[in-house]
Amino acid sequence: MEINLREIHSPADIKGLDLEQLHLLSGELRAALMRKLSAHGGHVGPNLGVVESTVALHYVFDAPTDKIVYDVSHQSYVHKMLTGRIDAFLDPDKYDDVTGYTCPRESEYDLFEVGHTSTSIALATGLAKARDLQGGKENVVAFIGDASLGGGMALEALNYAPELRSNIIVILNDNQMSIAENHGELYNHLAELRRTNGTSHNNIFKALGYEYIYVEEGNDLRALIKAYKAAKDQPRAVLVHINTMKGHGLPCAEADKETFHYCAPFDMKTGAPTHPSQAESYDDMFALRMLERMRADRRVVTLTAGTPGAVGFGPALRHAAGSQFIDTGIAEQDCVTMAAGLAKGGVRPVMGVVATFIQRAYDQLSHDVALNNLPAVFVEFYGSLFGMNDMTHLGFFDIAMISNIPGIRMLAPATAEEFLAMLDHAIDTPDGPVVIRVPGGAVTRQDTPVNTDFSRYDIVEQGADVAIIAEGPFLATARKAAELMRAKGVTPTVINPRILSQVDAGCLDSLKSYRHVITVEDGILDGGFGQKVAAYLGTSPVKVTCLGLKKEFLDRFSVPELLRANSLTPEQIAELAN
Amino acid sequence: MEINLREIHSPADIKGLDLEQLHLLSGELRAALMRKLSAHGGHVGPNLGVVESTVALHYVFDAPTDKIVYDVSHQSYVHKMLTGRIDAFLDPDKYDDVTGYTCPRESEYDLFEVGHTSTSIALATGLAKARDLQGGKENVVAFIGDASLGGGMALEALNYAPELRSNIIVILNDNQMSIAENHGELYNHLAELRRTNGTSHNNIFKALGYEYIYVEEGNDLRALIKAYKAAKDQPRAVLVHINTMKGHGLPCAEADKETFHYCAPFDMKTGAPTHPSQAESYDDMFALRMLERMRADRRVVTLTAGTPGAVGFGPALRHAAGSQFIDTGIAEQDCVTMAAGLAKGGVRPVMGVVATFIQRAYDQLSHDVALNNLPAVFVEFYGSLFGMNDMTHLGFFDIAMISNIPGIRMLAPATAEEFLAMLDHAIDTPDGPVVIRVPGGAVTRQDTPVNTDFSRYDIVEQGADVAIIAEGPFLATARKAAELMRAKGVTPTVINPRILSQVDAGCLDSLKSYRHVITVEDGILDGGFGQKVAAYLGTSPVKVTCLGLKKEFLDRFSVPELLRANSLTPEQIAELAN
C-alpha cells in the first residue's frame, strides 16, 4: 500500500482512507515537509507538530463548508498540502508558490490573511454568528496554539464565544512552547490539565462554559479523530485540548524548539544552518549593549513580548540578564503597559519589539506611556521596507502610527553608531517616551562623531539650492544621489533628520530660500515625516517632493522593484535635481 | 460623635478611627458624593458602590507608600476625598478643581492618568517589578471592576502578574455590571463564585495561581478590612473578590444602574435629569437608521464593545434589535475582529464606537479588517474637538491613526444628511472597510441633495484664487470664513472633502493655479488630511496652509479658546485671504 501525495487534490481524497493509510499519509506529509523546510526554511516546529492533527481535522470536518480558522497560521502548511497545494511542497521550483500563512488569494480553504497571533477565536465567533443569522449548519473551528491563547484578544474572544450558545470549536494546540518558552500562569494551569489527563477539577475552560475534551496523544490520529468527531456538530462551544510536540519527528527540532520555531535552510541530520551568517546585526548589538547597561545598573531592564530571539536575546543572554529580562509572552499590551509601570516605579524599561507587532499596543503606547509622559524606551526592529516582506509582517506603517502620537519622540538612526548613541541617550535622559527605529537592511557604520542633539536635524553635507532630507537607510541613498547630482553641477545639502515626530523648524526655515526640498523615508508617505515637512514649507515658495512608499499592503515584494516603483533609487532621486 | 469631612486631609486622618467612626465617615462621604453628583453630574454608580471599599483600602494600606492603581479610575472619587481633595467634593465652586479620573498632577496618591479600562493590573505589575528590583517592601494594589477584567490587557496581565512571585494584590470590584450589562462567560463564572460564597471548586483565579479571598458583603467595612488585612504584605499574588452594589445607597441609581453609570445633574429623589435635553443627536439618528436597516435585512448587524448607550442603543432599542445587536463587553479587539469574521461570513457588520476607544483595536482594524479587505463599517462618535474633553477621552487623534491604514476609506460627513447617506452607502456597497467619523457638536442639517460620490471632494461654493477645504463641523466654519472673505473682495472656493484617507487628485489639480489653499480639520495636524494635501501640492507654486490642532494631550479645554489658539475661527481663517 502506498500513498501518492500528488494525488491529494482536496480533503475529499483522504476521506476514504483507513487509519493505517492516514498514518502513511502523515508520514509522507512529514517527510515532504522536512525536505522542503530544510532546503527552503520556514516555520519548522509548528508545522511538524500538527501533521496528525491537520490530517484528522480534514478527515473529520468538511472544509470548505466547515470553516477552519488558523491562529497566526504559521502552522497551516499541512493544511495547504491537503487542500490543493501539494506541489508547492514537493517541487523545489514551486516552493514559493504558496505564502507562509493562510491566504484566501490562494484557496477557498483559507479564510483570512493572518500572521499576528490571537485572532482565530474572534474571527471564528464572527463566522459562527454570521452562520446563525443565515440559518447555516456548518462547523466553525478555531485552531490556536497555547502561546497565542495568552494574547489579549484571544482571551477576550475565549470569554465571549460561548455566549453565542451555538456551534464553535476551539482546538487548543498545546505544544508547551511559544517562540521561546511560555510566560504566565495559564501555562502552569495547562500543565496541570495535562498532568491530570484533563480531569483536574479546576478547569479554566469549563469555568468559561466550554465543553472540554482532552487529547493526551495529540500526535495520535486515532485519538484526534475520536475527539474531533465528538466535537463536531455540537450546538455549543467545545474546546479540544490537544497535547502535541513542536518539531515532532525531526530530532534536531525536537531538541531545540526555540531555534527550530522558524529557521533558514538547515542540515536535517545536524540541524546546522546551511548558510551560516557571520554578519553583524543590530539585534545582537542591541542585546549586548543592553546587557552592559543592565550589569552597570540594576534599574535598567529589557522587555519583550514573546520575541526574545528577534531582539537578540537568545537563551544565553536571557540567562545572563536574569531578573532584569522580562518576557510577558505574546502580550504586547501587557508588556508596553508594564513598561509604563516600571518607568513610574523608577526603573528604566527598554522594550525590544518587532515593528509589525508594536501596532498591537497602540492604546497602551498612547495612553499608558505617552499621556503619562513616562520615560519608557521602545526599540523597534524591522521597521523598514528592508525588513520582513510577508503581507502580514510589513514594517513600514510604523512612522505613521507612532510619530503622530503626542509626546513620543520617534528617533531614526542611520548608522550603528547613531543607534547606540540614541539608545544610551534614551536610557540616560528620562524625559518622556522614546521610540528608536532600528535601521533596516545591513548594518551601516559611520566614522564621524555622532551629533547627539537628537531634537535637531543633522546636516551631513552642506550644499545649496537643493536639499535631500533622508532618514534611516535612505541617508546612504541620498548621499549617492548627491554624488550623481554633483556630477550634473548641483551641490545638494544632505540632511539626516533623526527625529521623525517633529520638524526641526530652524533647519527647515533655512531651506525656505532653496529651490527644491526632497524628503525620503523608509515607510509610507501618508502620515510620515515628509508630509510634515511639506506642510511646514507649504507657505514658502520652495518646491517640496516627498518620497516614500505608497500606502498599500504588499506581499513578498522584490526590494529593488519596490524602490524603483516608488522613485527611491539614487538615480531617480538625482533626476529630481533637474 | 461626629465626623467632619473637612478634617480629612490624608489617609492618616482615618487610621485612628474605630469601626463605628469609619461607618459614620462612609455615610458622610456617600452623602457628600450624592450632593455633588446630583448637582454636577459624573460617574454616579461606580463611586457610590465603592465608598466602603475605598475607606477600608486607605484604612488598611499605607498610601502613598503602598501603591494603589485604579482601573479606568472613574471610581476614584472617594479616594480623592480621602487624599487631600475633600473640598472639591464639598464646595460647589471647587467641584471642578479635580478631574474625574486619577491624576498625578493633582496628588502623589494618584499614580497614573487613566480613563480607558483594563490597564491597572499591567501597571501594577510594572510597579511591583520595579519595587522588587530596588528592594522595596511596599504593597502594590490594582483595583479593577468586573467589566474591565474582560478587556484583553487585563486578562494578559492577570495571567502574567503571579509569575512575579511577589506581592501584588488585585481587588476585583464585582458590581455585576459594565456600563450596561456584562457580556462573556466570565460573568457566569463570577456569579458561580458569588453563589458559592467563593468556595466553588472551579475558580479561574486559583487556576491562574492567585491566593483567592472572597468578600460577600463588599459594602461592609468589617469584612473588607479583614480581607484587605489578609491580603496585605503577602509575598505573592492575591485576588480579593468583593461583591459590591453599583449605585449603593441612592435608590434611583440602584434601580437603574445603566442610566446612573455616568449622568448629568439629576434630582436625587426622582432620578430625573435636571436639564433634560430634547435636542436631536447623531447617536439616536444612527440607532434608528440601523434598526430600520436591521429590520429590512437580517444580514445587517450592529456591534458595540461595551458602550451601547453612547451609540444610541439604550435597553429598548437593544431589545428591538434582538440577536442582530452584539455587545462584546469592553473588548474592542474582539469586537472589531468579530466584525471581520461577520463580514467574511456574508453579514454586514456596523460597529458603533467612541473615537477614543477605537484606538484600542488598531492591529485588528489594520490586519483583520483592512488587510483582508473586508466590508465592515465603523461609525465613530466624538471623533472631534467638539467631543469629550477629558485628557483620557480625547477624540481628535483618530484621523492620524485610521486614515493612514491602507485600504480603509475614512469618511467625514459634515451634516446629518451626509452622515446617513454615507452609512447607507457603506452598508450597500460592500467594497472594503469604511470608517465614518460622525461630526462633533450639534446636529447640522443641509437642504441640498447629498453628492454620493464619496471618493471625490465636493465643491460646495465655487470661487477662485483661494480655496478652503474643510471637513466635518469645520465646513460650516469655512462657509462663514468665505462670507467674511467675500466682504473683502475675495471669492473663495469652499470644498467639503468628505474622504480623509486619500486626496482627490482631480480636484487638487484644479487648485494648482490658485494663490492659496487652506485646509481645515477637526483633529491634529500631524498625520491628518491637510498634510496629505500639502504634500500633493508641494511641487506646485500654490501656497498651502494647514489648519488643525497641535499634537498634544489637552485636559478639559475650553473649545472657544482652543479654536482661537489654533487659528480655527472664521475670522482667523478669513485673515488668511489677505
Side-chain angles (χ1 to χ4, degrees):
Chain A
M1 201 173 55
E2 248 183 52
I3 295 289
N4 184 348
L5 288 183
R6 292 205 190 266
E7 288 172 11
I8 309 284
H9 303 295
S10 83
D13 296 323
I14 70 165
K15 299 278 181 192
L17 303 184
D18 62 24
L19 194 62
E20 195 184 337
Q21 290 170 316
L22 291 173
H23 272 293
L24 286 171
L25 171 66
S26 300
E28 293 288 332
L29 289 165
R30 178 169 279 115
L33 256 186
M34 292 202 270
R35 278 192 301 274
K36 172 169 177 179
L37 292 174
S38 60
H40 179 271
H43 280 98
V44 177
N47 285 291
L48 291 177
V50 299
V51 173
E52 290 79 11
S53 57
T54 311
V55 170
L57 205 55
H58 280 296
Y59 180 76
V60 172
F61 292 97
D62 302 305
T65 305
D66 287 336
K67 298 194 165 80
I68 303 168
V69 184
Y70 284 93
D71 207 278
V72 200
S73 82
H74 59 358
Q75 80 290 57
S76 65
Y77 297 0
V78 184
H79 160 83
K80 293 198 178 195
M81 296 168 94
L82 296 175
T83 54
R85 289 165 278 181
I86 190 74
D87 291 351
F89 294 83
L90 299 177
D91 300 338
D93 59 349
K94 294 186 177 167
Y95 279 170
D96 282 322
D97 285 4
V98 291
T99 71
Y101 302 89
T102 54
C103 180
R105 292 168 288 146
E106 278 174 18
S107 166
E108 62 174 336
Y109 290 89
D110 292 8
L111 291 155
F112 302 97
E113 302 267 0
V114 183
H116 288 186
T117 66
S118 313
T119 65
S120 60
I121 308 177
L123 290 168
T125 307
L127 291 171
K129 177 78 184 180
R131 171 200 63 203
D132 295 345
L133 286 167
Q134 296 170 100
K137 295 288 169 213
E138 72 273 16
N139 288 274
V140 176
V141 180
F143 191 97
I144 182 169
D146 50 328
S148 299
L149 191 66
M153 179 165 53
L155 294 167
E156 288 180 356
L158 188 75
N159 177 28
Y160 184 76
E163 188 167 308
L164 292 178
R165 304 277 174 264
S166 179
N167 170 279
I168 186 164
I169 300 161
V170 178
I171 299 176
L172 172 59
N173 173 37
D174 181 0
N175 62 22
Q176 297 111 66
M177 280 294 283
S178 184
I179 297 174
E181 73 282 359
N182 277 313
H183 287 275
E185 286 297 301
L186 177 62
Y187 300 101
N188 288 333
H189 181 58
L190 294 185
E192 170 71 6
L193 289 171
R194 292 193 305 272
R195 203 182 52 73
T196 59
N197 198 23
T199 65
S200 165
H201 277 302
N202 209 353
N203 181 314
I204 197 171
F205 306 111
K206 288 186 180 173
L208 290 175
Y210 287 82
E211 184 178 325
Y212 173 82
I213 299 171
Y214 179 68
V215 181
E216 171 62 23
E217 297 293 339
N219 293 97
D220 179 72
L221 280 165
R222 185 191 299 270
L224 288 162
I225 290 170
K226 185 178 164 209
Y228 292 169
K229 282 187 170 168
K232 191 178 177 185
D233 296 329
Q234 296 285 345
R236 63 181 65 85
V238 181
L239 186 134
V240 186
H241 179 185
I242 65 176
N243 176 19
T244 65
M245 182 191 276
K246 209 165 174 176
H248 192 68
L250 179 63
C252 57
E254 289 183 11
D256 182 355
K257 296 186 169 72
E258 184 171 341
T259 299
F260 285 90
H261 171 79
Y262 176 94
C263 74
F266 59 94
D267 180 296
M268 241 196 288
K269 278 191 193 130
T270 63
T274 312
H275 312 290
S277 165
Q278 297 302 327
E280 64 176 351
S281 72
Y282 285 112
D283 52 333
D284 287 341
M285 202 179 291
F286 167 70
L288 292 174
R289 178 62 58 99
M290 285 311 302
L291 202 62
E292 200 180 295
R293 298 296 313 238
M294 290 190 285
R295 280 186 172 143
D297 186 348
R298 197 163 160 69
R299 288 166 307 167
V300 176
V301 299
T302 308
L303 297 101
T304 180
T307 62
V311 303
F313 278 89
L317 263 64
R318 298 204 289 278
H319 180 77
S323 68
Q324 285 166 271
F325 188 83
I326 298 167
D327 182 353
T328 60
I330 308 177
E332 292 83 359
Q333 300 178 85
D334 182 41
C335 195
V336 169
T337 296
M338 189 176 171
L342 283 160
K344 181 74 181 181
V347 158
R348 308 305 324 280
V350 180
M351 177 178 173
V353 59
V354 174
T356 185
F357 300 136
I358 187 73
Q359 71 182 43
R360 290 159 61 86
Y362 181 97
D363 189 44
Q364 288 69 30
L365 271 180
S366 166
H367 270 207
D368 304 332
V369 176
L371 191 153
N372 282 280
N373 196 33
L374 291 168
V377 184
F378 302 89
V379 177
E380 203 200 318
F381 293 85
Y382 307 108
S384 173
L385 69 88
F386 302 99
M388 294 194 257
N389 74 355
D390 289 303
M391 197 177 208
T392 50
H393 289 72
L394 302 174
F396 44 72
F397 305 121
D398 61 320
I399 301 178
M401 188 192 98
I402 295 170
S403 74
N404 297 314
I405 297 175
I408 294 183
R409 278 181 295 160
M410 187 175 201
L411 302 180
T415 65
E417 287 73 16
E418 210 167 44
F419 166 49
L420 293 173
M422 285 175 179
L423 179 59
D424 283 337
H425 167 81
I427 294 172
D428 295 330
T429 319
D431 178 26
V434 175
V435 173
I436 302 173
R437 191 176 198 244
V438 178
V443 170
T444 307
R445 294 278 177 184
Q446 74 179 70
D447 46 19
T448 51
V450 174
N451 167 353
T452 57
D453 179 2
F454 298 120
S455 63
R456 296 291 181 80
Y457 292 178
D458 191 33
I459 296 178
V460 176
E461 296 177 18
Q462 181 69 59
D465 282 342
V466 173
I468 315 175
I469 313 178
E471 62 92 16
F474 283 104
L475 180 63
T477 309
R479 298 189 77 159
K480 282 183 205 151
E483 210 173 300
L484 296 172
M485 286 182 185
R486 281 192 295 270
K488 298 185 201 174
V490 176
T491 303
T493 297
V494 179
I495 297 170
N496 176 5
R498 288 113 54 87
I499 186 157
L500 306 183
S501 46
Q502 64 195 50
V503 296
D504 178 345
C507 179
L508 292 186
D509 287 343
S510 76
L511 304 179
K512 282 182 174 169
S513 56
Y514 274 49
R515 185 158 51 82
H516 198 168
V517 171
I518 301 159
T519 66
V520 195
E521 65 198 294
D522 187 9
I524 57 169
L525 280 168
D526 286 65
F529 96 90
Q531 295 192 338
K532 288 181 178 46
V533 170
Y536 186 86
L537 294 176
T539 53
S540 308
V542 56
K543 186 170 157 182
V544 180
T545 300
C546 300
L547 298 177
L549 296 180
K550 204 178 139 202
K551 179 179 73 171
E552 59 185 335
F553 292 109
L554 299 165
D555 197 27
R556 303 184 300 165
F557 52 84
S558 136
V559 168
E561 283 172 27
L562 186 64
L563 293 174
R564 270 195 304 278
N566 290 280
S567 300
L568 289 166
T569 67
E571 295 73 20
Q572 289 168 308
I573 296 171
E575 286 291 314
L576 294 173
N578 296 345
Chain B
M1 201 172 58
E2 246 183 56
I3 295 289
N4 184 349
L5 289 183
R6 292 206 190 268
E7 288 172 10
I8 309 284
H9 303 295
S10 84
D13 296 322
I14 71 165
K15 299 277 181 195
L17 302 185
D18 61 24
L19 194 63
E20 196 185 338
Q21 290 169 316
L22 291 173
H23 271 293
L24 286 172
L25 171 67
S26 299
E28 292 288 332
L29 290 165
R30 177 169 279 117
L33 256 186
M34 291 201 268
R35 278 192 300 275
K36 172 168 178 179
L37 292 174
S38 60
H40 179 272
H43 280 97
V44 177
N47 285 291
L48 291 177
V50 300
V51 173
E52 290 79 11
S53 56
T54 311
V55 169
L57 204 55
H58 280 296
Y59 181 76
V60 172
F61 292 96
D62 301 306
T65 305
D66 287 336
K67 298 196 165 79
I68 303 168
V69 184
Y70 283 94
D71 207 277
V72 199
S73 82
H74 60 357
Q75 79 291 56
S76 65
Y77 297 0
V78 184
H79 161 82
K80 292 198 178 195
M81 296 169 93
L82 295 174
T83 53
R85 288 165 279 182
I86 191 73
D87 291 351
F89 294 83
L90 298 177
D91 300 338
D93 59 347
K94 294 186 178 167
Y95 279 170
D96 283 321
D97 285 3
V98 290
T99 71
Y101 302 88
T102 54
C103 180
R105 291 168 289 145
E106 278 174 17
S107 166
E108 63 174 333
Y109 290 88
D110 293 7
L111 290 156
F112 302 98
E113 302 266 0
V114 182
H116 288 186
T117 66
S118 314
T119 64
S120 60
I121 308 176
L123 290 169
T125 308
L127 292 172
K129 177 78 184 179
R131 171 201 61 204
D132 295 345
L133 286 167
Q134 296 169 101
K137 294 289 168 213
E138 71 273 16
N139 288 273
V140 176
V141 179
F143 191 97
I144 183 169
D146 49 328
S148 299
L149 191 65
M153 180 167 50
L155 295 166
E156 288 180 356
L158 189 75
N159 177 29
Y160 184 76
E163 188 168 307
L164 292 179
R165 304 276 174 266
S166 177
N167 170 280
I168 185 164
I169 300 162
V170 178
I171 299 176
L172 172 59
N173 173 36
D174 181 359
N175 62 22
Q176 296 110 67
M177 280 294 283
S178 183
I179 297 175
E181 73 281 359
N182 277 313
H183 286 275
E185 286 297 302
L186 177 62
Y187 301 101
N188 289 332
H189 182 58
L190 294 185
E192 170 72 7
L193 289 170
R194 292 193 305 272
R195 203 182 51 72
T196 59
N197 199 23
T199 64
S200 166
H201 277 302
N202 219 350
N203 182 315
I204 197 172
F205 306 111
K206 287 186 181 173
L208 291 176
Y210 287 82
E211 184 179 324
Y212 174 81
I213 299 172
Y214 179 68
V215 181
E216 172 62 23
E217 297 293 338
N219 293 98
D220 180 72
L221 280 165
R222 186 191 299 266
L224 288 162
I225 289 170
K226 186 178 163 207
Y228 292 168
K229 282 187 171 167
K232 191 179 177 184
D233 296 328
Q234 297 284 344
R236 63 181 65 85
V238 181
L239 186 134
V240 186
H241 179 185
I242 65 176
N243 177 19
T244 66
M245 181 192 276
K246 207 165 173 173
H248 192 68
L250 180 63
C252 58
E254 289 184 10
D256 183 354
K257 296 186 169 72
E258 184 170 340
T259 299
F260 284 90
H261 171 79
Y262 176 93
C263 73
F266 59 94
D267 179 296
M268 241 196 286
K269 278 191 193 131
T270 63
T274 311
H275 312 291
S277 164
Q278 297 302 324
E280 64 176 351
S281 72
Y282 284 113
D283 52 333
D284 288 341
M285 203 180 291
F286 167 70
L288 292 173
R289 179 60 60 99
M290 285 311 301
L291 202 61
E292 200 179 294
R293 300 294 316 237
M294 290 191 284
R295 280 184 172 144
D297 187 345
R298 199 164 158 68
R299 288 167 309 170
V300 176
V301 300
T302 308
L303 298 100
T304 180
T307 62
V311 303
F313 277 88
L317 263 63
R318 298 205 289 278
H319 181 77
S323 69
Q324 285 165 271
F325 188 83
I326 298 168
D327 182 352
T328 60
I330 309 176
E332 291 84 359
Q333 301 178 85
D334 182 41
C335 195
V336 168
T337 296
M338 188 174 172
L342 284 160
K344 181 73 181 183
V347 158
R348 307 306 323 281
V350 180
M351 178 178 173
V353 59
V354 174
T356 185
F357 300 136
I358 187 73
Q359 73 183 42
R360 290 159 59 88
Y362 181 98
D363 188 45
Q364 289 69 29
L365 271 181
S366 166
H367 270 205
D368 305 332
V369 176
L371 191 154
N372 282 280
N373 196 34
L374 291 168
V377 183
F378 301 89
V379 177
E380 202 201 319
F381 294 85
Y382 308 107
S384 173
L385 69 90
F386 302 100
M388 294 193 257
N389 74 357
D390 289 303
M391 198 177 207
T392 50
H393 289 74
L394 303 174
F396 43 72
F397 305 121
D398 60 320
I399 301 178
M401 188 192 99
I402 295 170
S403 73
N404 297 315
I405 297 175
I408 294 183
R409 279 181 294 159
M410 186 176 201
L411 301 179
T415 65
E417 287 74 17
E418 211 167 44
F419 165 49
L420 292 174
M422 285 174 179
L423 180 58
D424 283 337
H425 168 81
I427 295 172
D428 295 330
T429 319
D431 179 26
V434 176
V435 173
I436 303 173
R437 190 175 199 247
V438 178
V443 170
T444 306
R445 294 279 177 182
Q446 75 179 71
D447 47 18
T448 50
V450 174
N451 168 352
T452 57
D453 180 0
F454 298 121
S455 63
R456 296 291 182 79
Y457 291 178
D458 191 31
I459 296 179
V460 175
E461 295 176 20
Q462 181 69 59
D465 282 343
V466 173
I468 316 175
I469 313 177
E471 63 91 17
F474 284 105
L475 181 62
T477 308
R479 299 189 76 161
K480 282 183 206 151
E483 213 173 297
L484 296 171
M485 286 182 185
R486 280 192 295 270
K488 298 185 203 175
V490 176
T491 304
T493 297
V494 179
I495 298 169
N496 176 3
R498 290 111 54 87
I499 187 158
L500 307 182
S501 45
Q502 64 194 52
V503 296
D504 178 345
C507 178
L508 292 186
D509 286 343
S510 75
L511 304 179
K512 284 182 174 169
S513 57
Y514 275 47
R515 184 159 51 82
H516 198 168
V517 171
I518 301 158
T519 65
V520 194
E521 65 199 294
D522 187 10
I524 56 167
L525 281 167
D526 285 64
F529 96 90
Q531 295 191 338
K532 288 180 178 47
V533 170
Y536 186 86
L537 295 175
T539 52
S540 309
V542 56
K543 186 171 159 183
V544 180
T545 300
C546 299
L547 299 177
L549 298 179
K550 203 178 140 202
K551 180 179 72 170
E552 59 185 337
F553 292 110
L554 298 166
D555 196 27
R556 302 186 301 166
F557 52 85
S558 138
V559 168
E561 282 173 25
L562 186 65
L563 292 174
R564 270 195 304 277
N566 290 281
S567 300
L568 288 167
T569 67
E571 295 73 19
Q572 287 168 308
I573 296 171
E575 286 290 315
L576 295 172
N578 296 346

